[in-house]
Amino acid sequence: MPSVIEADLSALLWQPNTFPGSDTFNQLIVTGFIIFWIGLTGIFFNRRLVISILLAVELTLLSINLLMLTFAAAMEDLVGVMFALYILCVAAAESAIGLALIIIWYRVRRTVSVQYISLLKG
C-alpha cells in the first residue's frame, strides 16, 4: 500500500499526453527544431552585432531545453527535467556575463559591432 506522501506526489506530477506518436509530442519536437534552426541561422548569418548573436545562442539553448523536457515527459524521467534546469542556469549565467562584457566593450569602443572583435586580442 503506498504511503500518503507517495500518493500526493504522484498527483502533483504533471503527466501530459506526450507519448511518442501523439500530436502533442510531434508538435513540440517540430517547434523545438524550428527554434533551434532559427538560432543557428542567427549565429551564422548575422555578423554585425554581438547582441543579436547572444540572443541567437539563447534561442538555441532554450530550444534544447524544450526538446529535453519533451523527451523527459515522454519517458517520464525526472533526470531530464533536472538537467534542463541546469541548462537554464548555465544559460542565465552566460547571458549575464555576455551582457556585462558587451557593456564594457561599448564603453571602450563606442560600438558593439563584430568587425572590431580582433582588437580584443591582448
Side-chain angles (χ1 to χ4, degrees), residues 6-29:
E6 290 175 2
D8 289 339
L9 182 63
S10 66
L12 292 176
L13 289 176
W14 178 60
Q15 298 174 353
N17 188 15
T18 58
F19 53 90
S22 69
D23 290 336
T24 307
F25 182 78
N26 293 335
Q27 288 172 354
L28 287 172
I29 296 297

Side-chain angles (χ1 to χ4, degrees), residues 4-87:
V4 176
I5 296 173
E6 290 175 2
D8 289 339
L9 182 63
S10 66
L12 292 176
L13 289 176
W14 178 60
Q15 298 174 353
N17 188 15
T18 58
F19 53 90
S22 69
D23 290 336
T24 307
F25 182 78
N26 293 335
Q27 288 172 354
L28 287 172
I29 296 297
V30 169
T31 304
F33 281 129
I34 289 172
I35 294 172
F36 186 77
W37 183 252
I38 291 170
L40 280 183
T41 56
I43 291 170
F44 289 120
F45 293 129
N46 188 8
R47 294 293 181 180
R48 291 185 58 193
L49 296 177
V50 178
I51 295 174
S52 60
I53 294 173
L54 185 67
L55 287 173
V57 169
E58 291 296 321
L59 268 178
T60 56
L61 288 174
L62 288 176
S63 68
I64 290 170
N65 268 340
L66 176 65
L67 291 171
M68 180 129 1
L69 288 173
T70 302
F71 284 113
M75 292 188 279
E76 297 176 2
D77 187 21
L78 285 178
V79 175
V81 175
M82 292 172 54
F83 195 67
L85 286 173
Y86 177 72
I87 291 174

